């Protein structure tokens, strides 16, 4: 089982250069040291989640289908991703939704915020919950980024159900 972490970080105070690593850790090892799976570097976060995760998704699909050989005797083991760990801004990017501080940014319910004192505020009444089905059908298009209102993200394709299910653990 593999745990995945995705996050962005600014490298220097004097530069806008950012690093967006995809890190992995083997979950059933007591001292599982994180390792680098992929990394993006630029002067802003990656433009598109599909291009950022394309190779990663393809490799995970291959490993899930074929398994992975481990140890000195190269025994074949089943491969699975257990979880994704992202902070809120990275989770918004990975799931291709409006930022959590946007007018339609509540990740848990379909509630429209109002602007007060240059901030978005949500009422105490909880809106209709966002579910897997309402997310997949995009019943609240104002919550999704423009690129994904009409087309599916790479991880939303039928053959990547593993990624789709894991994102709801964010």
């Amino acid at each position: 089982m593999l745990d995945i972490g995705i996050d962005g970080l600014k490298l220097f105070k004097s530069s806008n250069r950012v690093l967006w690593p995809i890190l992995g850790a083997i979950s059933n090892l007591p001292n599982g040291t994180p390792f680098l799976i992929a990394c993006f570097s630029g002067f802003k976060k990656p433009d598109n989640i599909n291009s950022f995760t394309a190779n990663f998704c393809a490799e995970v699909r291959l490993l899930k289908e074929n398994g992975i050989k481990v140890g000195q005797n190269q025994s074949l083991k089943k491969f699975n991703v257990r979880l994704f760990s992202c902070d809120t801004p990275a989770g918004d990017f990975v799931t291709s939704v409006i930022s959590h501080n946007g007018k339609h940014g509540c990740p848990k319910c379909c509630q429209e915020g109002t602007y007060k004192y240059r901030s978005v505020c949500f009422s105490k009444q909880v809106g209709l919950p966002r579910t897997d089905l309402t997310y997949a059908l995009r019943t609240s298009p104002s919550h999704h980024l423009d690129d994904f209102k009409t087309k599916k993200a790479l991880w939303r394709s039928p053959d990547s159900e593993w990624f789709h299910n894991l994102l709801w653990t964010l």
Side-chain angles (χ1 to χ4, degrees):
M1 298 280 252
L2 191 64
D3 295 347
I4 304 294
I6 299 175
D7 200 359
L9 61 129
K10 190 172 177 181
L11 290 178
F12 308 103
K13 288 182 182 180
S14 60
S15 169
N16 287 335
R17 182 163 295 278
V18 294
L19 200 62
W20 276 80
I22 299 175
L23 301 173
I26 299 172
S27 60
N28 55 354
L29 290 181
N31 296 325
T33 303
F35 55 90
L36 184 66
I37 295 172
C39 193
F40 170 86
S41 177
F43 291 100
K44 60 181 184 170
K45 73 178 179 183
D47 289 329
N48 184 305
I49 188 66
N50 282 349
S51 59
F52 177 63
T53 60
N55 292 337
F56 170 72
C57 287
E59 189 166 350
V60 168
R61 256 186 248 120
L62 182 73
L63 289 170
K64 282 189 66 65
E65 289 170 7
N66 301 323
I68 187 168
K69 292 182 180 179
V70 295
Q72 291 179 345
N73 60 356
Q74 294 290 294
S75 61
L76 190 64
K77 301 282 184 179
K78 288 177 76 173
F79 178 86
N80 202 7
V81 175
R82 184 177 73 136
L83 63 85
F84 277 77
S85 177
C86 301
D87 63 6
T88 302
D92 293 343
F93 171 63
V94 169
T95 56
S96 305
V97 297
I98 298 296
S99 175
H100 65 284
N101 57 2
K103 192 172 179 180
H104 296 276
C106 182
K108 302 295 181 188
C109 71
C110 299
Q111 182 180 155
E112 184 175 342
T114 56
Y115 287 101
K116 292 182 183 177
Y117 310 109
R118 296 173 53 187
S119 296
V120 175
C121 299
F122 295 99
S123 73
K124 290 181 181 179
Q125 287 185 320
V126 177
L128 294 173
R130 295 192 194 280
T131 65
D132 195 19
L133 182 62
T134 61
Y135 190 93
L137 295 175
R138 292 179 177 65
T139 57
S140 179
S142 53
H143 182 63
H144 299 275
L145 296 177
D146 288 338
D147 286 353
F148 299 99
K149 286 181 182 175
T150 55
K151 64 182 181 182
K152 290 187 176 188
L154 178 68
W155 47 264
R156 281 279 191 195
S157 63
D159 59 339
S160 60
E161 185 178 329
W162 63 271
F163 195 67
H164 165 75
N165 291 336
L166 282 168
L167 288 175
W168 284 102
T169 64
L170 295 175

